[in-house]
Amino acid sequence: MWCSISTSRAGGGLSPRPKGPRKLTPQVMDRVEQWRAADPRLKGRALARLIEAEFGFPVHPRSVERALRRRREPRDPEAATGR
């Protein structure tokens, strides 16, 4: 039933959603990097608490860890393989 409803709408199917965390903006992640530079032992749970205290919204610790990993990954696929 939902399939026929969703395909009958203009554009058909499900609408695309933006990828990536919406709360972890570059501004927030810059601050996270500052905290990590000051104390490299900080992990996802502690960083999530700091984000909530400073910015006023909750984030899941795993989301913070994934966002940090994405920031460290090279954007050029050839750079990642060393070719």
Side-chain angles (χ1 to χ4, degrees):
M1 169 125 183
W2 71 268
C3 184
S4 62
I5 293 170
S6 67
T7 56
S8 67
R9 293 183 179 168
L14 300 174
S15 59
R17 290 186 175 172
K19 291 187 177 185
R22 293 179 247 342
K23 294 178 183 178
L24 297 175
T25 63
Q27 175 189 2
V28 173
M29 291 308 298
D30 288 345
R31 187 67 174 121
V32 168
E33 293 283 358
Q34 291 173 357
W35 291 325
R36 288 282 306 246
D39 185 358
R41 296 173 298 164
L42 289 174
K43 301 293 182 205
R45 184 176 293 167
L47 292 167
R49 287 186 194 132
L50 289 169
I51 290 169
E52 186 168 9
E54 184 161 321
F55 293 96
F57 54 81
V59 293
H60 195 277
R62 189 74 185 109
S63 297
V64 177
E65 292 167 2
R66 283 193 309 263
L68 282 169
R69 190 173 344 109
R70 274 193 300 272
R71 279 190 134 200
R72 285 187 228 122
E73 291 175 354
R75 294 188 186 246
D76 181 10
E78 290 181 12
T81 59
R83 294 181 192 174

